[in-house]
Amino acid sequence: MPRKTRARSSRDRELLRQMLRIRRFEERCVELYSGEKICGFMHLYIGEEAVAAGVCHALTSEDAVVSTYREHGHALARGVPIRSVMAEMYGKAAGCSRGRGGSMHIFDAERRFYGGNAIVGGGLPVAVGLALADKLLSRGRVTACFFGEGAMAEGEFHECLNLASLWGLPVLFACENNLYAMGTALARSQAETDLALRAAAYDVAAWPVDGMDVRAVADAAERACESIRAGAGPHFLELRTYRFRAHSMYDPDRYRDKAEIEQWKLRDPLGQIRLPEDELAALEKEIAQELEDAVTFAEEAPIEPIEELTRFVYSEVRP
């Protein structure tokens, strides 16, 4: 179990700040969803915040991030403005995807955040393509690709890992193993549950990480990124984590024992780094104000005009 210790450095404080922002953002989204301010599918990241905060901390602004449909935390940790993420949740034109994507399709090219993808494993080929372009152009960047353990049952996972290894591409495969692919437990669907071991079969440097310990995640991601930038090819991190909420807002969550969930909550990543009470209160206040501003921004933002609904069906860039 991760140790509960006081913040020892500015890195610790920043990691805690990012995790708190993600947690409070999603808690507010639940309220807004219940009030029908946010519609459509919504998949929460609560419990897994250490992964997004730790991995994104190891990246530079030139690196790329490819995510999943459970990507609110990845987007916030990457630096996508909280206002534009909230407006996207509302389906407003001020959203980072102009309100056309919603919860599962957050996208911000300026921050090199390339989705948000509703298809299981759908981001893997995108990440490999980005990394191939970077390698061909000798740009020295890393592409971090988040995906769940359920994606490892998809054929494209194996195709992508094979090509990334064969061509020595600069990809950090960040597998969030929360033990359940929707409602199916990993042990019920996979003969080998050691995912790092499976990835290593493609001659990729791979190891497991305690995904509830943000310091361990940050350390592992920094080590992997340093190695990738040195030309060692793709790396794979199996980030062992757990989601405290159901798969999605409509999931009755009957496939897990409630005692199991409570046991994992004892390892809540937000409790691993402690701040003095006055510092924590100040941080919570700062985040609450930021979040309130984002909600106000989203509420007041206009919806897209009807006459523009068919924009972007075809590219507006002329050759």
Side-chain angles (χ1 to χ4, degrees), residues 18 21 56 73-82 85 108 111 113:
Q18 287 295 353
R21 286 178 79 236
C56 288
H74 304 147
L76 293 175
R78 178 56 182 170
V80 180
I82 196 168
V85 178
D108 188 332
R111 276 87 184 175
F113 186 80

Side-chain angles (χ1 to χ4, degrees), residues 251-262:
D251 175 13
D253 203 3
R254 293 173 180 157
Y255 45 86
R256 301 189 296 183
D257 192 320
K258 296 294 181 285
E260 175 186 300
I261 299 171
E262 294 306 312

Side-chain angles (χ1 to χ4, degrees), residues 55-244:
V55 170
C56 288
H57 190 79
L59 303 175
T60 72
S61 61
E62 291 298 308
D63 295 330
V65 175
V66 180
S67 185
T68 69
Y69 50 73
R70 200 182 303 281
E71 86 279 37
H72 311 152
H74 304 147
L76 293 175
R78 178 56 182 170
V80 180
I82 196 168
R83 275 185 163 194
S84 68
V85 178
M86 186 60 82
E88 189 60 37
M89 302 294 286
Y90 268 70
K92 297 293 187 70
C96 53
S97 301
R98 297 182 64 88
R100 295 168 179 239
S103 171
M104 294 197 289
H105 299 94
I106 293 170
F107 191 97
D108 188 332
E110 184 179 345
R111 276 87 184 175
R112 295 183 56 73
F113 186 80
Y114 297 105
N117 196 317
I119 299 171
V120 173
L124 287 158
V126 176
V128 170
L130 287 165
L132 175 60
D134 287 336
K135 177 160 186 176
L136 291 175
L137 296 172
S138 302
R139 289 195 285 221
R141 296 169 172 170
V142 171
T143 295
C145 182
F146 292 97
F147 56 96
E149 85 289 341
M152 290 186 65
E154 300 287 338
E156 60 192 352
F157 167 79
H158 301 279
E159 295 162 1
C160 288
L161 226 69
N162 178 62
L163 283 180
S165 179
L166 185 66
W167 295 338
L169 301 182
V171 187
L172 174 59
F173 293 101
C175 178
E176 298 178 318
N177 179 9
N178 65 19
L179 302 178
Y180 292 88
M182 294 186 70
T184 303
L186 179 65
R188 286 182 175 271
S189 62
Q190 300 296 315
E192 176 54 75
T193 58
D194 187 330
L195 306 183
L197 185 64
R198 288 172 63 191
Y202 288 99
D203 196 23
V204 171
W207 65 92
V209 182
D210 183 352
M212 307 301 277
D213 182 344
V214 70
R215 293 184 179 114
V217 174
D219 289 344
E222 287 169 7
R223 174 186 161 197
C225 286
E226 183 179 351
S227 183
I228 293 169
R229 293 186 208 286
H235 282 50
F236 178 102
L237 299 180
E238 180 194 345
L239 301 147
R240 295 175 177 173
T241 184
Y242 198 81
R243 57 175 162 76
F244 296 160

Side-chain angles (χ1 to χ4, degrees), residues 292-310:
E292 199 55 40
D293 172 74
V295 172
T296 300
F297 176 78
E299 288 275 356
E300 295 176 351
I303 59 172
E304 189 158 39
I306 291 176
E307 56 270 22
E308 292 193 8
L309 289 182
T310 58

